[in-house]
Amino acid sequence: MTIGTRVEMVTFRNSFLLPGMEREHPPGAFEVHITEEPLNVMWEAYHRTMNLMLTRGGVTEAIKVTRDDLEAALAKDGGDG
């Protein structure tokens, strides 16, 4: 089984706070590392196993975030994913 990772960029226009974050983060563009593993089916399909959002602010942090929480925060912010 091959586990794959891809990177997507998300942009927040306003300060934001996601579950698991200790403080609000300033707006900006952030990398989201998405880890997926293939499903054992007859066609190509993958199961998302982890989302890590990299934040900066003097220190780089990796925050584990759910897809739903990230999408909800982006929708509230009016940013893009």
Side-chain angles (χ1 to χ4, degrees):
M1 174 177 353
T2 303
I3 296 176
T5 301
R6 61 188 168 89
V7 177
E8 292 182 1
M9 297 298 292
V10 296
T11 302
F12 283 93
R13 295 185 181 127
N14 302 291
S15 296
F16 65 97
L17 181 68
L18 292 167
M21 292 182 170
E22 295 179 7
R23 59 181 171 74
E24 276 195 349
H25 287 274
F30 300 88
E31 291 181 11
V32 178
H33 292 243
I34 301 164
T35 303
E36 299 173 320
E37 63 184 30
L39 296 175
N40 189 15
V41 294
M42 298 295 290
W43 57 91
E44 187 173 342
Y46 293 87
H47 169 70
R48 186 176 295 202
T49 58
M50 185 184 317
N51 296 309
L52 287 178
M53 182 171 162
L54 300 183
T55 65
R56 293 174 185 84
V59 175
T60 300
E61 300 174 281
I63 306 295
K64 189 172 181 178
V65 61
T66 68
R67 181 179 179 174
D68 291 341
D69 287 342
L70 184 58
E71 288 176 356
L74 286 166
K76 179 181 174 183
D77 177 70
D80 55 30

